Amino acid sequence: MAYRKLGRNSSNRKALFRSILTSFFKYGKIETTATKAKEVASKSAQLITLAKRGDLHARRQVAAVLVDESVTKKLFEEIAPKYEGKNGGYTRIYKLGPRRGDAAEMAIIELV
């Protein structure tokens, strides 16, 4: 299986990840469920790799995914240059344990 469906239809899942990725690049660290964190890690690696290219086409591809234009600018001007010599491994996931309400496994994902 290429990706996790998370019990959602495709449009809902796409909107969820657009929102999570925008928050992730805006704050550099977010707390979410472990399965969402694993999926965000792979999607964020794709966007950072595009941002490292730095051309107009890559900027438009990233802007199509991220909701906020200022976050796209931050990704290209601040985040991507930090990883210029690195080929992956941009994120780190810490597991926190079960959530109190529904016992979902929680995790913190952050930029390395």
Side-chain angles (χ1 to χ4, degrees):
M1 195 165 90
Y3 55 88
R4 295 168 178 86
K5 293 186 178 181
L6 300 174
R8 291 169 166 81
N9 61 28
S10 60
S11 60
N12 193 332
R13 189 171 51 248
K14 182 178 176 183
L16 171 79
F17 283 119
R18 287 183 70 190
S19 173
I20 289 177
L21 284 166
T22 302
S23 296
F24 178 59
F25 287 125
K26 185 175 185 178
Y27 300 112
K29 177 167 100 170
I30 57 170
E31 181 178 334
T32 184
T33 62
T35 52
K36 287 179 193 170
K38 289 177 186 177
E39 199 66 25
V40 166
S42 67
K43 291 182 185 301
S44 65
Q46 292 171 358
L47 292 180
I48 291 173
T49 303
L50 278 173
K52 281 170 47 177
R53 267 191 6 215
D55 58 349
L56 180 61
H57 183 57
R59 186 175 291 270
R60 286 179 175 164
Q61 285 179 310
V62 170
V65 175
L66 298 180
V67 179
D68 191 2
E69 182 63 36
S70 64
V71 176
T72 303
K73 188 174 181 179
K74 179 180 179 182
L75 177 62
F76 275 83
E77 294 177 1
E78 296 174 24
I79 298 172
K82 289 195 310 188
Y83 301 113
E84 201 58 46
K86 199 169 184 181
N87 293 326
Y90 310 121
T91 59
R92 180 180 295 132
I93 298 175
Y94 296 111
K95 294 194 176 179
L96 296 177
R99 183 164 50 195
R100 187 172 170 87
D102 61 355
E105 187 68 30
M106 297 299 288
I108 291 177
I109 181 169
E110 67 181 11
L111 290 168
V112 174

